[in-house]
Amino acid sequence: MRLWVLLSVLLLLLQEALPHVIGQPAKSKRPKEPGENKIKPVNKKVKPKNAKMKERESVDSSLKSQSILTQVMDKGHFQKLAATLSLAAGQSIELRCKGSNVTWSYPSYLDTFKDSRLSIKQLDRHSQLILANSTAADTGEYSCWLQLCNGNKCRKDETKTGSTYIFFTDKEELFVPTPSYFEIVYLNPDKPAIIPCRVTTPSAKVTLHREFPAEEIETDGTDIFYDAKKGFVFQHPTSDHKGIVYCKAESQGAPQISIKYHLLYVEVPKGPPSTTIAVSLGRAGLSDGVHVICTVLGEPDVDVSFRWQYPGQQSGRPVIIQNFWRLINRGIGHTTRISKSVLLVEDFEDTDVGNYVCIARNLQGETTVATKAELK
């Protein structure tokens, strides 16, 4: 009896185990491929193609922003230039720009005075700029770029440029020297104004002062701030800023004072010249002298050019034309420029009868006005 019970229990155990072994197909195991991992990562995303593309993009962008400007060091070594460079005044410097057709930009006074210390040579594969016996006045931006030309038309290659700002430090000249002792700075309400008291030593402490009443002008770093490459910047000029000011610099020694700057507030409408015309004698007699005056009211720092059309012009009738301008104060510190062109007919004749046309032009456009002169 005991034996029978034992056999029954064994039979039950075998019935529970058999479905797992007999009733289900066995999973065939394929041989592992060479190099195949035994454990597959679960949450790992691998995108090799995109990664390669991103790598190429980063390489391409770095090539686009790569500077073509270098400094020639001792023994033929070259050094890539940072955004700024400080050298002691008196040193000479050689810069090179890669390319077969290179254009340079540098402080304009070197051209104004045709300074022999500066030389530029274009060679086969690069252009060379050499500045000998540098001075504090040479402080400024030095840049180069490759020119792309098609026949006589050339344009700047924006992908191949180089630039650096060089401070030529001189403890005797903390401010970059200027040819004048007094400058006018126009304060326009819709654009920043710059008081150009640049320094030769970037670490110098610079403050701004009003001459009358004597006081230091506070700078908040936002509306008014100092930039060693530009000077003091007024982001939003107002008529309260007008007056005479100067800058003071200190750097390991006695403070130095810049030239004076006269700040003039400007508020005139932008656009083509606001022009009027008038004749001294609307009805002139023979042999009279007749003046025709063309007047433009505009911004102090905007130049105006004039052209005339008048009777007898085609036949070569001689007239005298004089152009001039001056600044006027319109009250409340507002400054305006009056530009005039005067056409003079010395001995009025029959051939001088007719329309006198003045065409005034500035950067925004041109305006045409006319008047008439007749015989009595």
Side-chain angles (χ1 to χ4, degrees), residues 56-309:
R56 286 175 186 168
E57 288 174 3
S58 64
V59 171
D60 290 342
S61 61
S62 66
L63 287 173
K64 288 181 181 179
S65 60
Q66 188 176 8
S67 174
I68 60 174
L69 179 63
T70 57
Q71 179 186 1
V72 180
M73 310 300 289
D74 293 336
K75 299 179 181 179
H77 293 112
F78 298 89
Q79 175 177 295
K80 290 184 179 180
L81 290 168
T84 60
L85 175 66
S86 291
L87 297 173
Q91 286 186 259
S92 297
I93 184 171
E94 180 181 345
L95 303 177
R96 286 193 182 183
C97 206
K98 294 180 183 178
S100 58
N101 188 9
V102 172
T103 300
W104 289 89
S105 176
Y106 42 83
S108 59
Y109 93 96
L110 288 170
D111 269 342
T112 303
F113 297 101
K114 298 180 180 179
D115 204 315
S116 60
R117 297 178 300 116
L118 176 72
S119 66
I120 294 176
K121 292 181 181 178
Q122 177 66 60
L123 305 175
D124 289 341
R125 296 185 179 181
H126 70 270
S127 181
Q128 174 193 64
L129 181 149
I130 297 177
L131 179 63
N133 302 320
S134 63
T135 68
D138 300 325
T139 296
E141 190 86 22
Y142 291 77
S143 61
C144 63
W145 58 91
L146 194 63
Q147 288 276 69
L148 297 177
C149 296
N150 183 8
N152 294 327
K153 294 183 179 180
C154 294
R155 62 180 178 85
K156 180 179 180 180
D157 187 347
E158 298 291 347
T159 65
K160 294 181 180 179
T161 64
S163 178
T164 188
Y165 190 98
I166 305 178
F167 294 93
F168 289 101
T169 61
D170 186 344
K171 63 181 181 180
E172 302 298 327
E173 295 276 6
L174 289 183
F175 288 106
V176 179
T178 60
S180 62
Y181 294 96
F182 190 87
E183 286 188 23
I184 293 177
V185 176
Y186 298 109
L187 306 177
N188 196 305
D190 58 1
K191 64 181 179 182
I194 297 175
I195 301 172
C197 53
R198 299 179 296 127
V199 289
T200 62
T201 303
S203 60
K205 180 185 177 183
V206 188
T207 52
L208 183 62
H209 300 259
R210 190 181 303 280
E211 188 175 55
F212 182 82
E215 61 182 3
E216 180 178 339
I217 299 175
E218 293 184 6
T219 57
D220 56 11
T222 304
D223 283 337
I224 303 176
F225 60 90
Y226 186 73
D227 183 335
K229 298 179 184 179
K230 297 179 181 179
F232 280 99
V233 180
F234 286 69
Q235 288 286 73
H236 307 286
T238 68
S239 59
D240 294 336
H241 296 138
K242 63 183 173 57
I244 297 177
V245 301
Y246 61 90
C247 305
K248 182 186 290 186
E250 296 181 57
S251 178
Q252 302 176 354
Q256 297 181 24
I257 293 176
S258 72
I259 66 171
K260 293 178 181 179
Y261 301 91
H262 193 177
L263 311 188
L264 298 177
Y265 188 71
V266 180
E267 193 172 43
V268 293
K270 285 186 175 293
S274 175
T275 312
T276 59
I277 192 169
V279 61
S280 60
L281 295 172
R283 296 181 66 85
L286 291 173
S287 301
D288 282 346
V290 177
H291 293 79
V292 186
I293 305 169
C294 191
T295 305
V296 170
L297 192 68
E299 296 180 74
D301 54 347
V302 175
D303 290 328
V304 178
S305 62
F306 295 93
R307 289 187 294 116
W308 286 93
Q309 296 173 3

Side-chain angles (χ1 to χ4, degrees), residues 339-358:
S339 302
K340 290 190 177 186
S341 181
V342 179
L343 183 149
L344 170 62
V345 180
E346 289 188 306
D347 297 308
F348 199 79
E349 302 174 355
D350 290 341
T351 56
D352 299 318
V353 173
N355 293 322
Y356 289 75
V357 179
C358 171

Side-chain angles (χ1 to χ4, degrees), residues 3-16:
L3 180 59
W4 175 253
V5 171
L6 182 60
L7 288 172
S8 299
V9 172
L10 289 173
L11 183 61
L12 287 171
L13 291 173
L14 286 171
Q15 287 176 348
E16 290 178 2

